[in-house]
Amino acid sequence: MELNVVTLNCWGLPFGISKHKGERMQHIAKELATGAYDVVSLQEIWVLKDYELIKSTVKNVLPYSFYFRMGLQNGGLCMFSKWPIVDTFYHLYSLNGYAHQVFMGDWYTGKMVALCKIDVEGMAVNVYNTHAHALYVPSNIPEKDDFLTHRLTQLYELSEFVRLTSGGSDLVLVMGDFNSEPFSLATKLALSNAGLLDSWETRGNKEYTDGMTIERLDNILAKGQTHCYMNTNDGERIDYNFYQSYGPYTARCLKTTLTMRKIPGSDLSYSDHEGVLSTIRVTRLKDSQGQGDEKSNEDDDGSPHQQLPELLKEAISVLSKNIEKVKSDQMWSRLKALFCFFLLLLSVSLGDVSPVLAFIWTCGLTLITAFYFCFGFIVEECEKKTVTGIMESMKVRLSAVEKRIRVNGK
């Protein structure tokens, strides 16, 4: 059996933020209705009406769908399938930006990993869809990435969610906008910990080399955005189709290509991202029990997950340094709150000089004091404890992996 699976970040922000959204959503729906796709994972479908438009348009070829409505903007994730969706679940990421960074907006959008269990003619397929925290600098300069820790913890949580919910499945598909490049620690850890294969790296059509999905200068919608790579047309690869098979099944990626690029007869692109289309061939092994050829996340088959101990150690080191940074930031936030509070007391004496000036002074300093107080005593405290908890979870996972290596010799 061959499955054509596609992922696309649709850039569907409302209020005119995303250019040509209405027109593009109609064309996205029209393209998905061609019948060329079997399983579809979409991100940034922020508006329910856009989902309903696509759903009504593709109902004859993709009759099964689910929209995950979480966060202020519904999470933006939805899936469509040729086969019945028999179960759904999701996990909201523990860290996802900050509320005061309104123009970035990640905190408000309910970033998550979503799961749809699909019955593909008796084969149990787990399809995961995700959209990680936005990438504002290239992955190769992590020291300038203020949200490296958030993205790292998100993709670790993704890998744990996949690993712990994929039991009993015959095929796993993990699709979406990871906002991390292939060589980044976050992406490598996600692949390794969940024991997944990258459809781009394992594709049969190696002659096809155009795989960059974002920040492309040939994408008209990306030209008005801030580019990480201003002097190249290559862009970044941050959208993926990962996969793995289990039990009596084996999966192989026949080909992976970019899709849904420019709208036919127009210079307008479907989105500021390129779609990623993979053809996965799934074969049932002759041995129905799958004893001889069964695949496992723990097999010594040369897959990236063999690097897991070192990747976990590196991730633990990154999180440990971040905890120290958060502690330092927390101390300064508290000191700033205390300093602003003392300045606020001066407004009492200013009242005798100018009531208007005293009012402005009091209101401004009250807001600033409240901000630093909340950040120092609530926000950063929550982040510190969350990162610490995830780091401790990584240590448990590392201990278990190292023990398996000692016992099994691999």
Side-chain angles (χ1 to χ4, degrees), residues 117-245:
K117 290 179 175 286
I118 299 176
D119 181 1
V120 181
E121 301 177 10
M123 182 173 60
V125 180
N126 278 19
V127 183
Y128 300 85
N129 188 5
T130 193
H131 185 196
H133 190 288
L135 180 65
Y136 295 104
V137 296
S139 298
N140 58 356
I141 47 174
E143 64 276 7
K144 293 186 178 182
D145 187 355
D146 294 333
F147 301 99
L148 172 63
T149 301
H150 288 219
R151 204 175 300 105
L152 177 60
T153 57
Q154 286 180 348
L155 295 190
Y156 178 72
E157 287 182 319
L158 162 74
S159 65
E160 285 289 89
F161 185 77
V162 172
R163 190 174 67 86
L164 297 173
T165 60
S166 58
S169 62
D170 299 312
L171 176 68
V172 163
L173 300 171
V174 183
M175 309 156 72
D177 176 3
F178 283 58
N179 272 312
S180 296
E181 295 179 81
F183 54 80
S184 69
L185 173 61
T187 302
K188 291 192 292 185
L189 181 60
L191 273 170
S192 179
N193 192 47
L196 301 170
L197 300 173
D198 184 348
S199 66
W200 178 256
E201 298 296 339
T202 60
R203 70 194 186 280
N205 58 326
K206 292 292 186 179
E207 72 282 358
Y208 184 89
T209 59
D210 186 11
M212 302 306 176
T213 63
I214 189 65
E215 300 285 1
R216 298 178 60 102
L217 297 182
D218 60 359
N219 186 314
I220 192 172
L221 296 174
K223 287 185 178 180
Q225 300 174 346
T226 301
H227 290 275
C228 294
Y229 301 94
M230 291 299 294
N231 299 319
T232 176
N233 193 46
D234 291 339
E236 307 168 73
R237 185 166 75 92
I238 62 174
D239 302 87
Y240 304 98
N241 291 329
F242 297 151
Y243 69 98
Q244 185 57 279
S245 57

Side-chain angles (χ1 to χ4, degrees), residues 98-103 107-108 371 375 379:
Y98 302 107
H100 70 280
Q101 294 175 327
V102 179
F103 291 104
W107 188 87
Y108 299 92
F371 172 79
F375 216 69
V379 176

Side-chain angles (χ1 to χ4, degrees), residues 41-68:
S41 290
L42 303 181
Q43 304 86 47
E44 290 207 34
I45 300 293
W46 303 119
V47 180
L48 180 59
K49 287 185 178 180
D50 291 333
Y51 164 73
E52 293 173 340
L53 166 68
I54 297 173
K55 179 180 178 180
S56 63
T57 305
V58 305
K59 62 182 179 182
N60 291 331
V61 295
L62 297 168
Y64 306 98
S65 65
F66 196 83
Y67 186 56
F68 292 85

Side-chain angles (χ1 to χ4, degrees), residues 338-350 361 365:
L338 185 62
F339 177 72
C340 289
F341 177 74
F342 283 121
L343 288 180
L344 187 59
L345 297 179
L346 294 176
S347 63
V348 176
S349 60
L350 285 175
W361 178 274
L365 279 179

